[in-house]
Amino acid sequence: VVTRLGAVAAVLLASLVSGATAAAPDPVEEIREEALHATRALELVRSLTMEVGPRSAGSDGDRRAVAWGVERLAASGFDRVWTEPVTVPHWVRGQASAAIVAPFPQSLVVTALGGSAGTPEAGLEAEVVRFETVDDLEAAPADAVRGKIVFLDGRMERRRDGSGYAETVPNRGRGPAVGSEKGALAVVIRSVGTGTHRFPHTGGTRFAEGVRRIPAAALAIPDADILAHQLEMGKPVRLRLRLTSRFLADAESANVLAEIQGSERPGEIVLLACHLDSWDLGTGAIDDAAGCATVVEAARIAGRHRPRRTIRVLLAANEEHGLSGARAYAAAHEEEIAGHVLAFEADFGAGAVWAYGSAVNPAAKGFLAASQAALAPLGIEYAGNEARGGADLIPLRQASVPLADLAQDGTYYFDYHHTADDTFDKVDPEALAQNVAAHAVLAWIAAHTDDELRPAPPREDG
Ligand SMILES: [Zn+2]
């Protein structure tokens, strides 16, 4: 009895000293410290990459990743863990080989782009025609392209914000389809990536309905240099290419979800997203096991401090090959979209977060001040109220859900992105913990604020 009275007295005294009335202590600092020093995120990345490994849409690894996600979330203290079915395309890479046949024969390191057709069994051989960009290819007369192998030779620039990717990736996304429409036999691109190693960078390419699917592949960067050099010498260059890529029947995958229910406003949702699938060449450590580990741990740690709103995580199916999970989520939760008060995604590697952007109701001054103040000690600067959200949030952006960006340092991300070298050892534990801390404090503040984060500011692009 004495002990209990003593404890009550101590609590009363503490509240008198702090001048608090009934308010709970602000747990932001506690959340940040727990994330920095006691997160299990690295163990999650290790487990997903080493025990599941590659998990491209429709593959056996994809199914095992879904089971892994359910098991890990169930063990992380969420109130509710569930899956929602997603139908995904099932493309298989097969084998790839390429060689310059003339003027100076040499084998090249190559991989198929996601969605590529296969070549004939024996491969195909043709003269190469080079363009810098898909726009240059688009402007070329068809008779300069017909019957040839198009080489798109654009170089990606290394930048912290990763903006070089957006500038160069149209060569991959649209190049093969434009080549097809002009009668090219195949399209090979200089890998959209940085670094000087000999790993080619894969990634999805799109053929609209009615456009003939042709073989499409990426050369490793030093191999693109070889091809470019031989072309510069002015003699016709002939390339042989063999791909055994093909589509199988669509497959069943799933979005994996979990949430901690809000104590006061459970119908209002703060959504943290990542994607569970990966390309098949590496083990998908930085893309996007690190992102999934970040959001799972951020939600778990924030959720221990009685959030007033619901904190939900979405491990999306098939981001890489067409955003199937993102679309399925938006469709399945259409009724609930108006209850989403903030959404953000971790899908830019494992570099430390350096900038924070919001896209929330500009009148949410308390939220904006509190979130900036909570992120500043992590070395994160504010980048304004024009956030765009990650790829898996595109359908939510179109539905005017408020968004945030926690921009990760992308200086080295594109050295490994979509290559065989995207493996666990590339994840820096300190940067990963900083990511967890940033995502956790932002989630908790959004789940706790008195401000209304809706409506999002109007967006020029809708
Ligand atoms: Zn990704």
Side-chain angles (χ1 to χ4, degrees):
V1 173
V2 171
T3 315
R4 194 182 295 166
L5 284 173
V8 169
V11 168
L12 284 173
L13 186 61
S15 68
L16 285 173
V17 168
S18 69
T21 48
D26 181 351
V28 167
E29 192 175 336
E30 209 178 313
I31 290 170
R32 198 169 49 221
E33 290 303 307
E34 182 177 350
L36 286 175
H37 303 295
T39 178
R40 305 168 194 161
L42 193 69
E43 292 316 307
L44 290 176
V45 179
R46 192 196 312 269
S47 174
L48 181 55
T49 57
M50 296 200 182
E51 294 156 31
V52 176
R55 45 198 183 278
S56 59
S59 68
D60 186 49
D62 185 19
R63 277 184 288 281
R64 286 188 289 121
V66 169
W68 177 93
V70 170
E71 187 194 314
R72 291 301 159 135
L73 287 163
S76 294
F78 288 89
D79 294 328
R80 188 176 161 226
V81 176
W82 73 103
T83 61
E84 296 175 356
V86 181
T87 301
V88 298
H90 187 191
W91 174 83
V92 289
R93 176 173 308 283
Q95 296 160 344
S97 60
I100 298 172
V101 177
F104 305 107
Q106 182 166 169
S107 294
L108 300 178
V109 176
V110 70
T111 197
L113 297 180
S116 173
T119 61
E121 181 54 35
L124 56 81
E125 186 189 313
E127 188 180 335
V128 176
V129 57
R130 175 192 176 278
F131 300 93
E132 185 101 7
T133 69
V134 64
D135 293 335
D136 297 341
L137 169 61
E138 214 150 31
D143 57 11
V145 172
R146 194 174 306 116
K148 294 185 176 160
I149 295 175
V150 167
F151 172 39
L152 293 175
D153 193 21
R155 287 167 192 271
M156 180 184 158
E157 274 188 47
R158 180 190 299 282
R159 291 187 207 124
R160 181 170 69 163
D161 68 1
S163 55
Y165 185 66
E167 291 167 6
T168 321
V169 79
N171 280 5
R172 189 191 81 210
R174 291 199 300 125
V178 172
S180 172
E181 287 180 310
K182 289 184 182 281
L185 294 185
V187 173
V188 297
I189 65 166
R190 174 183 288 271
S191 280
V192 180
T194 51
T196 57
H197 55 64
R198 216 168 174 184
F199 297 103
H201 299 240
T202 191
T205 191
R206 294 179 302 277
F207 293 89
E209 203 69 49
V211 176
R212 195 168 67 93
R213 208 172 270 280
I214 60 171
L219 294 169
I221 288 165
D223 298 81
D225 290 342
I226 294 167
L227 182 56
H229 175 79
Q230 292 203 19
L231 284 160
E232 261 168 38
M233 297 179 76
K235 293 184 188 154
V237 174
R238 293 186 69 79
L239 188 74
R240 166 162 287 280
L241 179 69
R242 181 172 181 272
L243 305 175
T244 65
S245 310
R246 65 195 196 283
F247 276 94
L248 305 179
D250 285 353
E252 283 303 301
S253 182
N255 285 335
V256 180
L257 296 114
E259 68 186 22
I260 289 156
Q261 264 149 27
S263 57
E264 290 174 31
R265 302 179 179 189
E268 295 187 10
I269 296 158
V270 176
L271 183 74
L272 282 69
C274 67
H275 66 85
L276 191 53
D277 66 307
S278 76
W279 282 112
D280 52 328
L281 296 173
T283 61
I286 59 171
D287 188 13
D288 184 27
C292 286
T294 294
V295 300
V296 168
E297 277 290 281
R300 179 182 71 80
I301 293 168
R304 283 151 50 100
H305 297 269
R306 278 183 68 78
R308 294 161 72 189
R309 298 180 180 82
T310 293
I311 297 178
R312 178 182 291 174
V313 293
L314 165 63
L315 279 52
N318 188 35
E319 184 269 350
E320 297 291 3
H321 208 172
L323 301 175
S324 316
R327 277 195 278 271
Y329 180 84
H333 296 268
E334 200 179 352
E335 310 265 287
E336 227 182 29
I337 293 289
H340 284 61
V341 301
L342 189 69
F344 49 110
E345 175 161 25
D347 182 22
F348 203 68
V353 177
W354 64 279
Y356 158 50
S358 57
V360 303
N361 179 357
K365 300 250 190 291
F367 166 79
L368 287 167
S371 53
Q372 289 170 50
L375 293 167
L378 295 166
I380 299 168
E381 62 194 57
Y382 186 59
N385 202 33
E386 292 169 352
R388 296 188 50 80
D392 289 300
L393 303 180
I394 291 170
L396 299 188
R397 182 169 83 221
Q398 289 163 346
S400 295
V401 171
L403 301 171
D405 290 332
L406 289 171
Q408 293 166 273
D409 187 327
T411 308
Y412 302 105
Y413 180 50
F414 293 100
D415 289 6
Y416 309 113
H417 180 255
H418 295 183
T419 72
D421 212 17
D422 176 3
T423 48
F424 176 72
D425 51 294
K426 308 307 181 304
V427 176
D428 170 30
E430 272 181 39
L432 184 65
Q434 188 257 17
N435 269 274
V436 175
H439 287 74
V441 295
L442 183 60
W444 190 86
I445 292 167
H448 204 76
T449 182
D450 290 322
D451 288 355
E452 298 298 333
L453 303 186
R454 301 182 71 97
R459 297 169 171 104
E460 276 173 27
D461 61 359

